[in-house]
Amino acid sequence: MSDPTHARRASSFGSQAAAYAEHRPDYPREAIEWGLSGVTGTPRRVLDLGAGTGKLTLGLVALGLDVTAVEPDPEMRAELAKVTPTATSLDGQAERIPLADASVDAVFAGQAFHWFDVQPSMTEIGRVLRPGGVLVPMWNYEDDSVPWVAEFSKLGRTGVSRAWTDGGQQPATHPLFEPFESRTFPHAQRRTAESLVETIATHSHLIIAEPADRAAALAEIRGFLASNPHTAAGEFDLPLRTWVFRARRIQPC
Ligand SMILES: C[S@@+](CC[C@H](N)C(=O)[O-])C[C@H]1O[C@@H](n2cnc3c(N)ncnc32)[C@H](O)[C@@H]1O
C-alpha cells in the first residue's frame, strides 16, 4: 500500500462522517443472506470490517447475528455507535484485527475491501475466521444497465473500487481461502437531485480534491441531474446493483 493518494483516500472518510451516515446506501437483505449462506454450519458471530458508520453492520444486526464492527476512523465509529448501539465497535484495521484466532463465522466488508492491503489482510482475516467460515466483500454500484444511470455514473467514477466488478481484475486468491464466487442483487436508493449530489460528495476522490476541483465536479453532476428527466424534479429511485463475493476459509485436512 505504497501509493500515497490511495492511503489518503482510504483514511479520508472521517471528515465527512455525518454526511456519509446520512447519504450512503444500505445493503439488501438477500445480498447479505447469500454471503452468509457460504458458511459451513450455522453462522452466529460476524465481523464487519471497515464498518464505517454502520451501513452494513445494521443489516447484519437485523439478522439476529452477534456483530463486531472494526473500523480505524474514530469519527466513523462515533456515527456507527449512534445507529448500532448493540454491536460491539472496536478500533482496528484489516491488516491488524483486534480479535482472537478462529473467533468468527463470517467476515463482511462493505465498500471497504478495495482499501485493504489485500494479501496481508486475507492472511489476517483467515486467522480470525474459523475453518468453514466465509469472507464476504460487497459493493453497491450504480446499475449501468439503465442508460441514464450509465451516463451519470461515468461522471463520478474513479475505478479504484470497481476493479473486481468491471472485469478488469480477477478476484484475489489466497492459500487460506477457496476461490471467490460472486452474485449481484438489484437494489435502489431513494434520492433527490440534491441528496444524490450529497452522496457523490462523500466519495473519497472528491473528499481529498482541491476545493475548486470538488466544486466543479459537483456542479457538473448537478447540471446533469437538472437536465435529466428522470432526476430533474422531486424524488426518484437511483437504480443500484449490489455485488457480493464470498470465499470460504479452507478446512484443515
Ligand atoms: C467507503 S467506507 C465503507 C463503510 C461501510 N462499510 C459501508 O458499507 O458504508 C470505507 C471504510 O473503510 C475504512 N478503512 C480504510 N482502510 C481500512 C483498512 N485498512 N482496514 C479497515 N478499514 C479500513 C475507512 O475508514 C472507511 O470507514
Side-chain angles (χ1 to χ4, degrees), residues 219-242:
E220 187 184 12
I221 289 168
R222 201 172 271 118
F224 174 89
L225 295 173
S227 64
N228 172 27
H230 299 278
T231 56
E235 288 193 331
F236 54 88
D237 278 331
L238 174 68
L240 300 173
R241 282 204 88 74
T242 304

Side-chain angles (χ1 to χ4, degrees), residues 10-118:
S11 60
S12 68
F13 296 99
S15 68
Q16 296 291 317
Y20 193 106
E22 185 174 351
H23 292 295
R24 286 291 191 106
D26 62 4
Y27 297 88
R29 183 182 178 108
E30 316 77 65
I32 299 173
E33 285 177 336
W34 183 78
L36 210 53
S37 67
V39 175
T40 304
T42 307
R44 195 174 56 78
R45 302 150 307 166
V46 175
L47 167 62
D48 183 6
L49 194 52
T53 62
K55 298 280 169 191
L56 178 54
T57 321
L58 265 182
L60 293 164
V61 167
L63 293 178
L65 297 159
D66 174 359
V67 185
T68 300
V70 166
E71 163 59 43
D73 189 296
E75 288 166 291
M76 298 297 265
R77 280 203 312 280
E79 292 295 328
L80 184 145
K82 291 182 197 165
V83 293
T84 55
T86 59
T88 307
S89 136
L90 300 174
D91 181 10
Q93 54 190 70
E95 301 79 5
R96 273 197 319 277
I97 302 172
L99 294 181
D101 295 1
S103 57
V104 294
D105 304 305
V107 175
F108 279 72
Q111 222 79 16
F113 197 79
H114 55 285
W115 298 123
F116 304 166
D117 202 348
V118 171

